[in-house]
Amino acid sequence: IQEVSNRTFPRLERARAEAALRESEERLRLIIERAQGYAIFTLTADGRVDSWNPGAAAIFGWSEADILGQSSGVLFTPEDRAADVPRLELRTAATEGAAPDVRWHLRRDGSRVFINGINQALFDAAGQLRGFVKIGRDVTPQYEAETALRESETRLRLAVDAADLGT
């Protein structure tokens, strides 16, 4: 009996551990899939997209099938690509652990979207860079409203100064 229980118990524990792992992975998958309004995607260490959640598809207009394997540079504006921002962002995240990603980006159709996000490096237990996770939210309406308000305040200040009036 002792010999049978010694062989059965490790199998039972292993089966329980595997079930717990599957449940944990399923929970994480559901959280990422349901995070509507948030682009959550991962990049390889060289900056290629290797996972893409439905929120990213909704924000950027790229289906998962179309974006996987692409350089993350396709999401950056031409002026940011010319300034080497995609590479610099990866380098900053790799050396500092994270890099802010608060800027205009491109949707698949070429229109612009203002993203408030972050790029975080993913390191394994040995400290080796495994890739990156980017999480961002489309804040275009808020950004445009803030910009319009600043421009309005500037015009008012110029008008008051030009008219030599006080407020």
Side-chain angles (χ1 to χ4, degrees):
I1 293 176
Q2 182 67 28
E3 184 180 323
V4 170
S5 72
N6 285 343
R7 286 185 304 204
T8 305
F9 186 71
R11 284 190 221 152
L12 182 59
E13 284 301 309
R14 181 180 176 135
R16 285 182 182 155
E18 288 172 351
L21 178 60
R22 281 191 303 275
E23 185 177 317
S24 176
E25 289 172 345
E26 175 67 5
R27 182 177 171 89
L28 179 59
R29 184 188 63 77
L30 289 171
I31 290 168
I32 292 171
E33 283 182 1
R34 301 302 187 272
Q36 295 298 319
Y38 289 89
I40 303 172
F41 57 99
T42 57
L43 307 173
T44 60
D46 66 350
R48 300 214 168 268
V49 178
D50 66 353
S51 77
W52 191 253
N53 82 325
I59 290 170
F60 289 106
W62 289 84
S63 72
E64 183 180 37
D66 289 336
I67 194 73
L68 291 182
Q70 296 272 349
S71 165
S72 63
V74 301
L75 304 172
F76 287 81
T77 63
E79 55 272 21
D80 280 350
R81 285 193 301 263
D84 208 19
V85 171
R87 187 187 64 77
L88 295 172
E89 182 183 285
L90 292 177
R91 187 175 73 190
T92 299
T95 58
E96 297 181 21
D101 187 25
V102 182
R103 65 177 51 86
W104 287 105
H105 283 72
L106 288 182
R107 291 186 172 106
R108 183 171 190 176
D109 66 7
S111 64
R112 292 179 181 231
V113 57
F114 198 87
I115 299 293
N116 184 350
I118 190 162
N119 184 349
Q120 292 191 286
L122 301 173
F123 296 98
D124 64 18
Q128 294 294 321
L129 179 66
R130 298 299 304 264
F132 303 89
V133 61
K134 291 187 75 161
I135 302 171
R137 185 165 176 88
D138 175 3
V139 294
T140 305
Q142 298 92 321
Y143 181 80
E144 289 176 338
E146 291 169 5
T147 300
L149 180 59
R150 281 191 302 274
E151 290 171 357
S152 176
E153 289 171 345
T154 299
R155 284 192 306 274
L156 175 61
R157 192 171 34 259
L158 290 171
V160 167
D161 289 346
D164 203 24
L165 299 173
T167 53

